Amino acid sequence: MSFQTDVAIIGGGIIGCAVAYYASKLGYQVTVIEKNELASGTSSHCDGNILAIDKDPGFDSQMAWESQKLIDQLSKELPLEFEYRLPGSILVCETEEEMEAAQRWVNLQKDAGLPFRMLDRQDLKFESKYLADDLLGGLECGTDSTVNPYLLCFSLFEGAKQNGAQLRKKTAVKNVDYKHSFYHIETDQGDIRAKYIVNCAGVWAPHVGEMLDLKIPISPRKGHILVSTRQVPVSPRKVMEFGYLMSKFGGERRVDEKTDKYGVALVFEPTQSQNFLLGSSREFVGFDTNVNWDVVGTIARRCMRFYPKMKDMDLLRVYSGLRPWTKDNLPIISEVEQYPGYFIAAGHEGDGIGLAAITGKVISEMINEDKTSIDIDPLRFDRFEKKEVIL
Ligand SMILES: Cc1cc2nc3c(=O)[nH]c(=O)nc-3n(C[C@H](O)[C@H](O)[C@H](O)COP(=O)(O)OP(=O)(O)OC[C@H]3O[C@@H](n4cnc5c(N)ncnc54)[C@H](O)[C@@H]3O)c2cc1C
């Protein structure tokens, strides 16, 4: 006889753990099925920024803001501490053109109610004496926070466990069938029967979807991170270059060939222990997670352009991860029309840590047939099927 659960969550990354926490909090019996260990996928090969600063003004930034508020609440209610800090973050500009674009970005975000403001050269000097002298200024978002993503995953699951959730680790889902209003999940460790299923398999979500002939349009977008040894406090909080927005949303940049080819833009993140996470890159190279030293060199050079003093830093390690990318840069947080009780929560690209809380909350609201905390229409699975009408 197969094991039975209310909600089967496929994937124990940050998204699966967040769904497990919020669904178990509503009283559902939850089982997370993970082919390796918790947080063994992208959720341990990333930074830990909880950002609104890099979100498209409007729906995207509002959703991020809602998630920031939930993560603040989680820092008070989850059983394990996860290095949560709320210092805000900044983007720095190299040119007058970027300063003008930054001003437009700030105006749009402020109109939407977010606490953004412009920074001048003097503000940057006050921010860090190590920033390059020729930078013109930038912008700040006051609600941006940071976490240790690995610890947040474990803390979310620990919270879920206290609500009765179970974890089947080292258990790979091999097939899914839908019969008599139940999902029959075949794993390499026995079968599981569930009323609801949530596909939280990140870059592997398309593979899990294929088991029911679902075409889920998510592709892996690789990113590298460099970790420095413990340092003097170079900057107190997260700093990115304005060009990061272009690199994320596919805009044109005036940078050298390699910086452009590897989608490199400065992302500087001080961890609680004052190691620095330095990134990052964006490439479509399939599922290859090998470190490419040419990309590492390009990131290091980009960091030194903004922080010349970084030439004296020692490197501790380097890693790369796969962002689950969708073509409109929004995740899929949706029920699947043809399969009642089948949900997809995947495709968060470089925002999954930040958006985990709102994703978990909204999926649990959908399972419970409650009104969702945000409008989920822009996140629907079938939005990719809509054909362009040519008149
Ligand atoms: C370099 C880099 C920097 C980043 N920085 C940030 C940041 O600062 N802030 C931010 O918000 N986001 C950031 N991200 C993005 C973030 O890491 C991802 O969006 C997020 O981790 C995705 O989480 P997930 O749970 O969807 O996927 P994953 O963490 O990959 O989890 C999916 C899980 O599903 C499991 N699985 C797959 N197939 C099966 C199967 N058949 N059976 C059972 N289990 C299965 C996998 O083993 C895996 O553990 C970054 C990403 C990268 C690469």
Side-chain angles (χ1 to χ4, degrees), residues 231-291:
Q231 298 290 337
V232 291
V234 173
S235 270
R237 55 184 173 166
K238 183 178 174 82
V239 179
M240 292 185 291
E241 63 171 295
F242 195 76
Y244 177 87
L245 298 179
M246 313 285 190
S247 161
K248 182 177 176 188
F249 295 117
E252 232 179 84
R253 296 172 68 198
R254 266 187 244 142
V255 285
D256 65 76
E257 204 186 318
K258 282 190 179 174
T259 304
D260 190 43
K261 176 178 167 198
Y262 297 133
V264 167
L266 169 82
V267 180
F268 167 92
E269 183 188 339
T271 65
Q272 188 159 294
S273 56
Q274 291 301 316
N275 292 111
F276 298 125
L277 304 183
L278 309 170
S280 68
S281 54
R282 276 184 157 80
E283 290 173 280
F284 293 104
V285 287
F287 284 81
D288 170 20
T289 51
N290 289 319
V291 166

Side-chain angles (χ1 to χ4, degrees), residues 309-324:
K309 198 68 188 130
M310 275 191 194
K311 70 179 188 333
D312 299 330
M313 273 191 185
D314 287 327
L315 210 58
L316 192 63
R317 64 191 173 97
V318 176
Y319 56 83
S320 77
L322 301 172
R323 302 178 186 91

Side-chain angles (χ1 to χ4, degrees), residues 344-357:
I344 301 170
H348 295 72
E349 213 265 355
D351 303 320
I353 308 303
L355 297 179

